PDB file of all heavy atoms in Angstrom:
ATOM      1  N   ARG D   1       6.537  12.246  17.181  1.00  0.00           N
ATOM      2  CA  ARG D   1       6.155  13.092  18.322  1.00  0.00           C
ATOM      3  C   ARG D   1       4.835  13.909  17.987  1.00  0.00           C
ATOM      4  O   ARG D   1       4.399  14.659  18.849  1.00  0.00           O
ATOM      5  CB  ARG D   1       7.280  14.035  18.618  1.00  0.00           C
ATOM      6  CG  ARG D   1       8.432  13.338  19.285  1.00  0.00           C
ATOM      7  CD  ARG D   1       9.459  14.358  19.829  1.00  0.00           C
ATOM      8  NE  ARG D   1      10.636  14.467  18.986  1.00  0.00           N
ATOM      9  CZ  ARG D   1      10.968  15.625  18.369  1.00  0.00           C
ATOM     10  NH1 ARG D   1      10.266  16.678  18.441  1.00  0.00           N
ATOM     11  NH2 ARG D   1      12.133  15.629  17.661  1.00  0.00           N
ATOM     12  N   MET D   2       4.292  13.743  16.808  1.00  0.00           N
ATOM     13  CA  MET D   2       3.119  14.468  16.380  1.00  0.00           C
ATOM     14  C   MET D   2       1.864  13.794  16.923  1.00  0.00           C
ATOM     15  O   MET D   2       1.790  12.626  17.238  1.00  0.00           O
ATOM     16  CB  MET D   2       3.071  14.643  14.878  1.00  0.00           C
ATOM     17  CG  MET D   2       4.284  15.276  14.311  1.00  0.00           C
ATOM     18  SD  MET D   2       4.147  15.587  12.527  1.00  0.00           S
ATOM     19  CE  MET D   2       3.146  17.050  12.496  1.00  0.00           C
ATOM     20  N   GLY D   3       0.804  14.648  17.125  1.00  0.00           N
ATOM     21  CA  GLY D   3      -0.508  14.115  17.572  1.00  0.00           C
ATOM     22  C   GLY D   3      -1.647  14.798  16.869  1.00  0.00           C
ATOM     23  O   GLY D   3      -1.431  15.594  15.937  1.00  0.00           O
ATOM     24  N   ALA D   4      -2.828  14.388  17.213  1.00  0.00           N
ATOM     25  CA  ALA D   4      -4.063  14.923  16.542  1.00  0.00           C
ATOM     26  C   ALA D   4      -4.097  16.446  16.533  1.00  0.00           C
ATOM     27  O   ALA D   4      -3.834  17.090  17.506  1.00  0.00           O
ATOM     28  CB  ALA D   4      -5.259  14.368  17.321  1.00  0.00           C
ATOM     29  N   GLY D   5      -4.364  16.948  15.304  1.00  0.00           N
ATOM     30  CA  GLY D   5      -4.443  18.400  15.170  1.00  0.00           C
ATOM     31  C   GLY D   5      -3.195  19.025  14.640  1.00  0.00           C
ATOM     32  O   GLY D   5      -3.197  20.126  14.159  1.00  0.00           O
ATOM     33  N   ASP D   6      -2.031  18.278  14.783  1.00  0.00           N
ATOM     34  CA  ASP D   6      -0.750  18.885  14.252  1.00  0.00           C
ATOM     35  C   ASP D   6      -0.777  18.879  12.741  1.00  0.00           C
ATOM     36  O   ASP D   6      -1.529  18.135  12.095  1.00  0.00           O
ATOM     37  CB  ASP D   6       0.413  17.974  14.759  1.00  0.00           C
ATOM     38  CG  ASP D   6       0.699  18.239  16.213  1.00  0.00           C
ATOM     39  OD1 ASP D   6       0.284  19.252  16.747  1.00  0.00           O
ATOM     40  OD2 ASP D   6       1.371  17.371  16.813  1.00  0.00           O
ATOM     41  N   LYS D   7       0.004  19.793  12.184  1.00  0.00           N
ATOM     42  CA  LYS D   7       0.072  19.930  10.692  1.00  0.00           C
ATOM     43  C   LYS D   7       1.400  19.485  10.192  1.00  0.00           C
ATOM     44  O   LYS D   7       2.478  19.682  10.868  1.00  0.00           O
ATOM     45  CB  LYS D   7      -0.170  21.437  10.307  1.00  0.00           C
ATOM     46  CG  LYS D   7      -1.575  21.929  10.796  1.00  0.00           C
ATOM     47  CD  LYS D   7      -2.688  21.309  10.078  1.00  0.00           C
ATOM     48  CE  LYS D   7      -3.993  21.911  10.507  1.00  0.00           C
ATOM     49  NZ  LYS D   7      -4.186  23.319  10.166  1.00  0.00           N
ATOM     50  N   LEU D   8       1.408  18.998   8.938  1.00  0.00           N
ATOM     51  CA  LEU D   8       2.696  18.675   8.275  1.00  0.00           C
ATOM     52  C   LEU D   8       2.481  18.843   6.797  1.00  0.00           C
ATOM     53  O   LEU D   8       1.298  18.931   6.279  1.00  0.00           O
ATOM     54  CB  LEU D   8       3.202  17.268   8.612  1.00  0.00           C
ATOM     55  CG  LEU D   8       2.381  16.076   8.240  1.00  0.00           C
ATOM     56  CD1 LEU D   8       2.572  15.596   6.820  1.00  0.00           C
ATOM     57  CD2 LEU D   8       2.708  14.892   9.204  1.00  0.00           C
ATOM     58  N   SER D   9       3.582  18.955   6.070  1.00  0.00           N
ATOM     59  CA  SER D   9       3.524  19.111   4.580  1.00  0.00           C
ATOM     60  C   SER D   9       3.864  17.769   3.909  1.00  0.00           C
ATOM     61  O   SER D   9       4.723  17.027   4.392  1.00  0.00           O
ATOM     62  CB  SER D   9       4.479  20.171   4.116  1.00  0.00           C
ATOM     63  OG  SER D   9       4.095  21.480   4.680  1.00  0.00           O
ATOM     64  N   LEU D  10       3.196  17.488   2.760  1.00  0.00           N
ATOM     65  CA  LEU D  10       3.542  16.353   2.014  1.00  0.00           C
ATOM     66  C   LEU D  10       3.221  16.518   0.551  1.00  0.00           C
ATOM     67  O   LEU D  10       2.526  17.497   0.159  1.00  0.00           O
ATOM     68  CB  LEU D  10       2.757  15.057   2.548  1.00  0.00           C
ATOM     69  CG  LEU D  10       1.257  15.078   2.559  1.00  0.00           C
ATOM     70  CD1 LEU D  10       0.663  14.880   1.129  1.00  0.00           C
ATOM     71  CD2 LEU D  10       0.722  14.081   3.508  1.00  0.00           C
ATOM     72  N   ILE D  11       3.776  15.651  -0.272  1.00  0.00           N
ATOM     73  CA  ILE D  11       3.419  15.610  -1.678  1.00  0.00           C
ATOM     74  C   ILE D  11       3.042  14.184  -1.932  1.00  0.00           C
ATOM     75  O   ILE D  11       3.671  13.170  -1.479  1.00  0.00           O
ATOM     76  CB  ILE D  11       4.642  15.879  -2.568  1.00  0.00           C
ATOM     77  CG1 ILE D  11       5.142  17.331  -2.338  1.00  0.00           C
ATOM     78  CG2 ILE D  11       4.283  15.747  -4.044  1.00  0.00           C
ATOM     79  CD1 ILE D  11       6.333  17.722  -3.146  1.00  0.00           C
ATOM     80  N   GLY D  12       1.925  13.944  -2.672  1.00  0.00           N
ATOM     81  CA  GLY D  12       1.469  12.610  -2.924  1.00  0.00           C
ATOM     82  C   GLY D  12       0.091  12.602  -3.504  1.00  0.00           C
ATOM     83  O   GLY D  12      -0.565  13.638  -3.643  1.00  0.00           O
ATOM     84  N   PRO D  13      -0.465  11.405  -3.923  1.00  0.00           N
ATOM     85  CA  PRO D  13       0.301  10.195  -3.849  1.00  0.00           C
ATOM     86  C   PRO D  13       1.317  10.098  -5.026  1.00  0.00           C
ATOM     87  O   PRO D  13       1.147  10.659  -6.100  1.00  0.00           O
ATOM     88  CB  PRO D  13      -0.766   9.150  -4.094  1.00  0.00           C
ATOM     89  CG  PRO D  13      -1.791   9.891  -4.929  1.00  0.00           C
ATOM     90  CD  PRO D  13      -1.780  11.239  -4.449  1.00  0.00           C
ATOM     91  N   LEU D  14       2.460   9.435  -4.719  1.00  0.00           N
ATOM     92  CA  LEU D  14       3.563   9.290  -5.703  1.00  0.00           C
ATOM     93  C   LEU D  14       3.748   7.766  -6.055  1.00  0.00           C
ATOM     94  O   LEU D  14       3.401   6.918  -5.276  1.00  0.00           O
ATOM     95  CB  LEU D  14       4.817   9.901  -5.163  1.00  0.00           C
ATOM     96  CG  LEU D  14       4.735  11.355  -4.765  1.00  0.00           C
ATOM     97  CD1 LEU D  14       6.021  11.773  -4.105  1.00  0.00           C
ATOM     98  CD2 LEU D  14       4.564  12.242  -6.063  1.00  0.00           C
ATOM     99  N   GLY D  15       4.415   7.502  -7.184  1.00  0.00           N
ATOM    100  CA  GLY D  15       4.666   6.204  -7.583  1.00  0.00           C
ATOM    101  C   GLY D  15       3.523   5.569  -8.433  1.00  0.00           C
ATOM    102  O   GLY D  15       2.469   6.146  -8.644  1.00  0.00           O
ATOM    103  N   ASN D  16       3.737   4.388  -8.939  1.00  0.00           N
ATOM    104  CA  ASN D  16       2.764   3.747  -9.796  1.00  0.00           C
ATOM    105  C   ASN D  16       1.760   2.767  -9.164  1.00  0.00           C
ATOM    106  O   ASN D  16       0.708   2.594  -9.703  1.00  0.00           O
ATOM    107  CB  ASN D  16       3.560   2.922 -10.881  1.00  0.00           C
ATOM    108  CG  ASN D  16       4.498   1.934 -10.300  1.00  0.00           C
ATOM    109  OD1 ASN D  16       4.670   1.783  -9.131  1.00  0.00           O
ATOM    110  ND2 ASN D  16       5.102   1.142 -11.149  1.00  0.00           N
ATOM    111  N   GLY D  17       2.137   2.223  -8.014  1.00  0.00           N
ATOM    112  CA  GLY D  17       1.171   1.294  -7.377  1.00  0.00           C
ATOM    113  C   GLY D  17       1.204  -0.057  -7.968  1.00  0.00           C
ATOM    114  O   GLY D  17       1.840  -0.319  -8.960  1.00  0.00           O
ATOM    115  N   PHE D  18       0.486  -0.998  -7.336  1.00  0.00           N
ATOM    116  CA  PHE D  18       0.443  -2.423  -7.760  1.00  0.00           C
ATOM    117  C   PHE D  18      -0.615  -2.579  -8.888  1.00  0.00           C
ATOM    118  O   PHE D  18      -1.652  -2.039  -8.789  1.00  0.00           O
ATOM    119  CB  PHE D  18       0.066  -3.342  -6.640  1.00  0.00           C
ATOM    120  CG  PHE D  18       1.194  -3.492  -5.593  1.00  0.00           C
ATOM    121  CD1 PHE D  18       1.060  -2.883  -4.388  1.00  0.00           C
ATOM    122  CD2 PHE D  18       2.238  -4.327  -5.834  1.00  0.00           C
ATOM    123  CE1 PHE D  18       2.103  -3.008  -3.484  1.00  0.00           C
ATOM    124  CE2 PHE D  18       3.238  -4.496  -4.889  1.00  0.00           C
ATOM    125  CZ  PHE D  18       3.161  -3.800  -3.728  1.00  0.00           C
ATOM    126  N   PRO D  19      -0.295  -3.444  -9.897  1.00  0.00           N
ATOM    127  CA  PRO D  19      -1.298  -3.674 -10.999  1.00  0.00           C
ATOM    128  C   PRO D  19      -2.366  -4.718 -10.524  1.00  0.00           C
ATOM    129  O   PRO D  19      -2.157  -5.929 -10.628  1.00  0.00           O
ATOM    130  CB  PRO D  19      -0.470  -4.187 -12.109  1.00  0.00           C
ATOM    131  CG  PRO D  19       0.710  -4.913 -11.395  1.00  0.00           C
ATOM    132  CD  PRO D  19       0.941  -4.108 -10.154  1.00  0.00           C
ATOM    133  N   LEU D  20      -3.457  -4.262  -9.977  1.00  0.00           N
ATOM    134  CA  LEU D  20      -4.442  -5.153  -9.416  1.00  0.00           C
ATOM    135  C   LEU D  20      -5.207  -5.952 -10.450  1.00  0.00           C
ATOM    136  O   LEU D  20      -5.610  -7.097 -10.109  1.00  0.00           O
ATOM    137  CB  LEU D  20      -5.471  -4.317  -8.619  1.00  0.00           C
ATOM    138  CG  LEU D  20      -5.005  -3.347  -7.522  1.00  0.00           C
ATOM    139  CD1 LEU D  20      -6.146  -2.755  -6.797  1.00  0.00           C
ATOM    140  CD2 LEU D  20      -4.083  -4.090  -6.632  1.00  0.00           C
ATOM    141  N   HIS D  21      -5.375  -5.489 -11.615  1.00  0.00           N
ATOM    142  CA  HIS D  21      -6.167  -6.216 -12.615  1.00  0.00           C
ATOM    143  C   HIS D  21      -5.631  -7.565 -12.959  1.00  0.00           C
ATOM    144  O   HIS D  21      -6.429  -8.474 -13.433  1.00  0.00           O
ATOM    145  CB  HIS D  21      -6.297  -5.303 -13.877  1.00  0.00           C
ATOM    146  CG  HIS D  21      -5.021  -5.057 -14.595  1.00  0.00           C
ATOM    147  ND1 HIS D  21      -4.138  -4.101 -14.143  1.00  0.00           N
ATOM    148  CD2 HIS D  21      -4.433  -5.615 -15.679  1.00  0.00           C
ATOM    149  CE1 HIS D  21      -3.029  -4.130 -14.909  1.00  0.00           C
ATOM    150  NE2 HIS D  21      -3.191  -5.047 -15.850  1.00  0.00           N
ATOM    151  N   GLU D  22      -4.354  -7.793 -12.838  1.00  0.00           N
ATOM    152  CA  GLU D  22      -3.761  -9.052 -13.231  1.00  0.00           C
ATOM    153  C   GLU D  22      -4.053 -10.162 -12.344  1.00  0.00           C
ATOM    154  O   GLU D  22      -3.824 -11.325 -12.612  1.00  0.00           O
ATOM    155  CB  GLU D  22      -2.278  -8.871 -13.433  1.00  0.00           C
ATOM    156  CG  GLU D  22      -1.797  -7.937 -14.554  1.00  0.00           C
ATOM    157  CD  GLU D  22      -0.323  -8.081 -14.902  1.00  0.00           C
ATOM    158  OE1 GLU D  22       0.189  -9.159 -14.661  1.00  0.00           O
ATOM    159  OE2 GLU D  22       0.221  -7.082 -15.403  1.00  0.00           O
ATOM    160  N   ALA D  23      -4.590  -9.917 -11.162  1.00  0.00           N
ATOM    161  CA  ALA D  23      -4.918 -10.861 -10.173  1.00  0.00           C
ATOM    162  C   ALA D  23      -6.255 -11.614 -10.322  1.00  0.00           C
ATOM    163  O   ALA D  23      -6.543 -12.593  -9.627  1.00  0.00           O
ATOM    164  CB  ALA D  23      -4.764 -10.337  -8.745  1.00  0.00           C
ATOM    165  N   LYS D  24      -7.064 -11.044 -11.209  1.00  0.00           N
ATOM    166  CA  LYS D  24      -8.418 -11.585 -11.335  1.00  0.00           C
ATOM    167  C   LYS D  24      -8.532 -13.030 -11.575  1.00  0.00           C
ATOM    168  O   LYS D  24      -7.935 -13.509 -12.572  1.00  0.00           O
ATOM    169  CB  LYS D  24      -9.223 -10.827 -12.403  1.00  0.00           C
ATOM    170  CG  LYS D  24     -10.733 -11.151 -12.416  1.00  0.00           C
ATOM    171  CD  LYS D  24     -11.424 -10.195 -13.398  1.00  0.00           C
ATOM    172  CE  LYS D  24     -12.914 -10.495 -13.407  1.00  0.00           C
ATOM    173  NZ  LYS D  24     -13.643  -9.580 -14.354  1.00  0.00           N
ATOM    174  N   GLY D  25      -9.211 -13.792 -10.695  1.00  0.00           N
ATOM    175  CA  GLY D  25      -9.360 -15.255 -10.870  1.00  0.00           C
ATOM    176  C   GLY D  25      -8.147 -16.068 -10.528  1.00  0.00           C
ATOM    177  O   GLY D  25      -8.166 -17.256 -10.734  1.00  0.00           O
ATOM    178  N   LYS D  26      -7.068 -15.472 -10.073  1.00  0.00           N
ATOM    179  CA  LYS D  26      -5.834 -16.191  -9.777  1.00  0.00           C
ATOM    180  C   LYS D  26      -5.586 -16.397  -8.283  1.00  0.00           C
ATOM    181  O   LYS D  26      -6.065 -15.653  -7.441  1.00  0.00           O
ATOM    182  CB  LYS D  26      -4.633 -15.475 -10.417  1.00  0.00           C
ATOM    183  CG  LYS D  26      -4.710 -15.333 -11.935  1.00  0.00           C
ATOM    184  CD  LYS D  26      -3.558 -14.567 -12.489  1.00  0.00           C
ATOM    185  CE  LYS D  26      -3.628 -14.484 -14.049  1.00  0.00           C
ATOM    186  NZ  LYS D  26      -2.502 -13.664 -14.561  1.00  0.00           N
ATOM    187  N   LYS D  27      -4.712 -17.386  -8.015  1.00  0.00           N
ATOM    188  CA  LYS D  27      -4.236 -17.587  -6.620  1.00  0.00           C
ATOM    189  C   LYS D  27      -3.058 -16.619  -6.380  1.00  0.00           C
ATOM    190  O   LYS D  27      -2.130 -16.584  -7.226  1.00  0.00           O
ATOM    191  CB  LYS D  27      -3.742 -19.033  -6.403  1.00  0.00           C
ATOM    192  CG  LYS D  27      -4.776 -20.031  -6.034  1.00  0.00           C
ATOM    193  CD  LYS D  27      -4.194 -21.269  -5.463  1.00  0.00           C
ATOM    194  CE  LYS D  27      -3.225 -21.963  -6.402  1.00  0.00           C
ATOM    195  NZ  LYS D  27      -2.783 -23.267  -5.801  1.00  0.00           N
ATOM    196  N   VAL D  28      -3.060 -15.865  -5.324  1.00  0.00           N
ATOM    197  CA  VAL D  28      -2.172 -14.791  -5.235  1.00  0.00           C
ATOM    198  C   VAL D  28      -1.395 -14.856  -3.885  1.00  0.00           C
ATOM    199  O   VAL D  28      -2.029 -15.194  -2.807  1.00  0.00           O
ATOM    200  CB  VAL D  28      -2.929 -13.403  -5.281  1.00  0.00           C
ATOM    201  CG1 VAL D  28      -1.963 -12.229  -4.954  1.00  0.00           C
ATOM    202  CG2 VAL D  28      -3.583 -13.232  -6.609  1.00  0.00           C
ATOM    203  N   PHE D  29      -0.124 -14.503  -3.887  1.00  0.00           N
ATOM    204  CA  PHE D  29       0.659 -14.258  -2.722  1.00  0.00           C
ATOM    205  C   PHE D  29       0.826 -12.791  -2.500  1.00  0.00           C
ATOM    206  O   PHE D  29       1.275 -12.111  -3.372  1.00  0.00           O
ATOM    207  CB  PHE D  29       2.067 -14.839  -2.740  1.00  0.00           C
ATOM    208  CG  PHE D  29       2.147 -16.297  -2.604  1.00  0.00           C
ATOM    209  CD1 PHE D  29       3.194 -17.079  -3.186  1.00  0.00           C
ATOM    210  CD2 PHE D  29       1.327 -17.012  -1.773  1.00  0.00           C
ATOM    211  CE1 PHE D  29       3.287 -18.432  -3.060  1.00  0.00           C
ATOM    212  CE2 PHE D  29       1.396 -18.380  -1.645  1.00  0.00           C
ATOM    213  CZ  PHE D  29       2.440 -19.093  -2.216  1.00  0.00           C
ATOM    214  N   LEU D  30       0.396 -12.258  -1.416  1.00  0.00           N
ATOM    215  CA  LEU D  30       0.671 -10.852  -0.986  1.00  0.00           C
ATOM    216  C   LEU D  30       1.708 -10.941   0.093  1.00  0.00           C
ATOM    217  O   LEU D  30       1.490 -11.383   1.190  1.00  0.00           O
ATOM    218  CB  LEU D  30      -0.577 -10.166  -0.506  1.00  0.00           C
ATOM    219  CG  LEU D  30      -1.831 -10.241  -1.397  1.00  0.00           C
ATOM    220  CD1 LEU D  30      -2.991  -9.494  -0.793  1.00  0.00           C
ATOM    221  CD2 LEU D  30      -1.455  -9.726  -2.793  1.00  0.00           C
ATOM    222  N   MET D  31       2.977 -10.552  -0.198  1.00  0.00           N
ATOM    223  CA  MET D  31       4.047 -10.798   0.730  1.00  0.00           C
ATOM    224  C   MET D  31       4.708  -9.530   1.185  1.00  0.00           C
ATOM    225  O   MET D  31       5.070  -8.678   0.405  1.00  0.00           O
ATOM    226  CB  MET D  31       5.126 -11.663  -0.043  1.00  0.00           C
ATOM    227  CG  MET D  31       4.523 -12.958  -0.571  1.00  0.00           C
ATOM    228  SD  MET D  31       5.689 -13.942  -1.567  1.00  0.00           S
ATOM    229  CE  MET D  31       6.738 -14.551  -0.274  1.00  0.00           C
ATOM    230  N   GLY D  32       4.833  -9.428   2.485  1.00  0.00           N
ATOM    231  CA  GLY D  32       5.511  -8.215   3.067  1.00  0.00           C
ATOM    232  C   GLY D  32       6.469  -8.596   4.178  1.00  0.00           C
ATOM    233  O   GLY D  32       6.205  -9.574   4.910  1.00  0.00           O
ATOM    234  N   GLY D  33       7.566  -7.890   4.229  1.00  0.00           N
ATOM    235  CA  GLY D  33       8.560  -8.128   5.296  1.00  0.00           C
ATOM    236  C   GLY D  33       9.014  -6.919   5.920  1.00  0.00           C
ATOM    237  O   GLY D  33       9.278  -5.868   5.275  1.00  0.00           O
ATOM    238  N   GLY D  34       9.048  -6.869   7.287  1.00  0.00           N
ATOM    239  CA  GLY D  34       9.495  -5.731   8.001  1.00  0.00           C
ATOM    240  C   GLY D  34       8.579  -4.516   7.797  1.00  0.00           C
ATOM    241  O   GLY D  34       7.404  -4.656   7.855  1.00  0.00           O
ATOM    242  N   ILE D  35       9.250  -3.359   7.416  1.00  0.00           N
ATOM    243  CA  ILE D  35       8.445  -2.156   7.249  1.00  0.00           C
ATOM    244  C   ILE D  35       7.784  -2.213   5.816  1.00  0.00           C
ATOM    245  O   ILE D  35       7.112  -1.303   5.388  1.00  0.00           O
ATOM    246  CB  ILE D  35       9.233  -0.885   7.479  1.00  0.00           C
ATOM    247  CG1 ILE D  35       8.347   0.252   7.883  1.00  0.00           C
ATOM    248  CG2 ILE D  35      10.135  -0.564   6.259  1.00  0.00           C
ATOM    249  CD1 ILE D  35       7.518  -0.070   9.144  1.00  0.00           C
ATOM    250  N   GLY D  36       8.069  -3.322   5.071  1.00  0.00           N
ATOM    251  CA  GLY D  36       7.300  -3.578   3.845  1.00  0.00           C
ATOM    252  C   GLY D  36       6.030  -4.262   4.026  1.00  0.00           C
ATOM    253  O   GLY D  36       5.311  -4.530   3.125  1.00  0.00           O
ATOM    254  N   VAL D  37       5.719  -4.514   5.283  1.00  0.00           N
ATOM    255  CA  VAL D  37       4.396  -5.165   5.615  1.00  0.00           C
ATOM    256  C   VAL D  37       3.207  -4.144   5.451  1.00  0.00           C
ATOM    257  O   VAL D  37       2.231  -4.526   4.788  1.00  0.00           O
ATOM    258  CB  VAL D  37       4.348  -5.675   7.025  1.00  0.00           C
ATOM    259  CG1 VAL D  37       3.005  -6.043   7.545  1.00  0.00           C
ATOM    260  CG2 VAL D  37       5.332  -6.972   7.160  1.00  0.00           C
ATOM    261  N   PRO D  38       3.331  -2.938   5.969  1.00  0.00           N
ATOM    262  CA  PRO D  38       2.157  -1.972   5.829  1.00  0.00           C
ATOM    263  C   PRO D  38       1.584  -1.761   4.468  1.00  0.00           C
ATOM    264  O   PRO D  38       0.370  -1.821   4.288  1.00  0.00           O
ATOM    265  CB  PRO D  38       2.737  -0.683   6.443  1.00  0.00           C
ATOM    266  CG  PRO D  38       3.768  -1.155   7.418  1.00  0.00           C
ATOM    267  CD  PRO D  38       4.396  -2.401   6.742  1.00  0.00           C
ATOM    268  N   PRO D  39       2.399  -1.629   3.410  1.00  0.00           N
ATOM    269  CA  PRO D  39       1.796  -1.367   2.102  1.00  0.00           C
ATOM    270  C   PRO D  39       0.893  -2.541   1.617  1.00  0.00           C
ATOM    271  O   PRO D  39       0.102  -2.367   0.674  1.00  0.00           O
ATOM    272  CB  PRO D  39       3.006  -1.207   1.150  1.00  0.00           C
ATOM    273  CG  PRO D  39       4.119  -0.871   2.008  1.00  0.00           C
ATOM    274  CD  PRO D  39       3.864  -1.544   3.295  1.00  0.00           C
ATOM    275  N   ILE D  40       1.104  -3.763   2.178  1.00  0.00           N
ATOM    276  CA  ILE D  40       0.346  -4.933   1.766  1.00  0.00           C
ATOM    277  C   ILE D  40      -1.100  -4.849   2.227  1.00  0.00           C
ATOM    278  O   ILE D  40      -1.978  -5.480   1.643  1.00  0.00           O
ATOM    279  CB  ILE D  40       1.042  -6.195   2.271  1.00  0.00           C
ATOM    280  CG1 ILE D  40       2.463  -6.332   1.639  1.00  0.00           C
ATOM    281  CG2 ILE D  40       0.252  -7.447   1.832  1.00  0.00           C
ATOM    282  CD1 ILE D  40       2.508  -6.309   0.106  1.00  0.00           C
ATOM    283  N   LEU D  41      -1.387  -4.081   3.253  1.00  0.00           N
ATOM    284  CA  LEU D  41      -2.725  -4.041   3.874  1.00  0.00           C
ATOM    285  C   LEU D  41      -3.793  -3.495   2.835  1.00  0.00           C
ATOM    286  O   LEU D  41      -4.825  -4.152   2.600  1.00  0.00           O
ATOM    287  CB  LEU D  41      -2.733  -3.289   5.135  1.00  0.00           C
ATOM    288  CG  LEU D  41      -4.178  -3.178   5.852  1.00  0.00           C
ATOM    289  CD1 LEU D  41      -4.714  -4.534   5.985  1.00  0.00           C
ATOM    290  CD2 LEU D  41      -4.004  -2.423   7.151  1.00  0.00           C
ATOM    291  N   GLU D  42      -3.537  -2.309   2.298  1.00  0.00           N
ATOM    292  CA  GLU D  42      -4.572  -1.762   1.410  1.00  0.00           C
ATOM    293  C   GLU D  42      -4.622  -2.621   0.054  1.00  0.00           C
ATOM    294  O   GLU D  42      -5.710  -2.818  -0.481  1.00  0.00           O
ATOM    295  CB  GLU D  42      -4.124  -0.289   0.976  1.00  0.00           C
ATOM    296  CG  GLU D  42      -5.189   0.350   0.135  1.00  0.00           C
ATOM    297  CD  GLU D  42      -6.573   0.549   0.849  1.00  0.00           C
ATOM    298  OE1 GLU D  42      -6.651   0.696   2.000  1.00  0.00           O
ATOM    299  OE2 GLU D  42      -7.605   0.488   0.082  1.00  0.00           O
ATOM    300  N   LEU D  43      -3.488  -3.175  -0.311  1.00  0.00           N
ATOM    301  CA  LEU D  43      -3.541  -4.126  -1.413  1.00  0.00           C
ATOM    302  C   LEU D  43      -4.422  -5.319  -1.092  1.00  0.00           C
ATOM    303  O   LEU D  43      -5.260  -5.725  -1.971  1.00  0.00           O
ATOM    304  CB  LEU D  43      -2.107  -4.684  -1.652  1.00  0.00           C
ATOM    305  CG  LEU D  43      -1.964  -5.660  -2.749  1.00  0.00           C
ATOM    306  CD1 LEU D  43      -2.350  -5.154  -4.151  1.00  0.00           C
ATOM    307  CD2 LEU D  43      -0.428  -6.105  -2.870  1.00  0.00           C
ATOM    308  N   ALA D  44      -4.303  -5.857   0.057  1.00  0.00           N
ATOM    309  CA  ALA D  44      -5.207  -6.983   0.479  1.00  0.00           C
ATOM    310  C   ALA D  44      -6.634  -6.570   0.481  1.00  0.00           C
ATOM    311  O   ALA D  44      -7.544  -7.414   0.158  1.00  0.00           O
ATOM    312  CB  ALA D  44      -4.770  -7.567   1.853  1.00  0.00           C
ATOM    313  N   LYS D  45      -6.937  -5.369   0.898  1.00  0.00           N
ATOM    314  CA  LYS D  45      -8.324  -4.877   0.982  1.00  0.00           C
ATOM    315  C   LYS D  45      -8.953  -4.665  -0.403  1.00  0.00           C
ATOM    316  O   LYS D  45     -10.178  -4.943  -0.618  1.00  0.00           O
ATOM    317  CB  LYS D  45      -8.375  -3.634   1.768  1.00  0.00           C
ATOM    318  CG  LYS D  45      -8.069  -3.780   3.243  1.00  0.00           C
ATOM    319  CD  LYS D  45      -7.972  -2.419   3.945  1.00  0.00           C
ATOM    320  CE  LYS D  45      -9.326  -1.696   4.017  1.00  0.00           C
ATOM    321  NZ  LYS D  45      -9.194  -0.397   4.752  1.00  0.00           N
TER     322      LYS D  45
END
């Protein structure tokens, strides 16, 4: 229900993230399902 200009509180970023360095030169699957799809976008970028 929030819109532009509204305020909220958060803590972050949290967690370890994906190890990107291991993908260099390799064929990669980036797989997301349901609400697990959105985190794959920045990974793909």
Side-chain angles (χ1 to χ4, degrees):
R1 290 191 255 116
M2 303 184 78
D6 287 341
K7 302 290 183 67
L8 61 85
S9 297
L10 61 76
I11 298 176
L14 300 172
N16 57 354
F18 289 103
L20 305 186
H21 63 281
E22 294 196 27
K24 189 173 182 180
K26 296 179 179 177
K27 275 198 303 185
V28 175
F29 282 151
L30 308 180
M31 307 174 72
I35 208 59
V37 167
I40 300 300
L41 179 53
E42 186 63 31
L43 177 62
K45 292 173 65 176

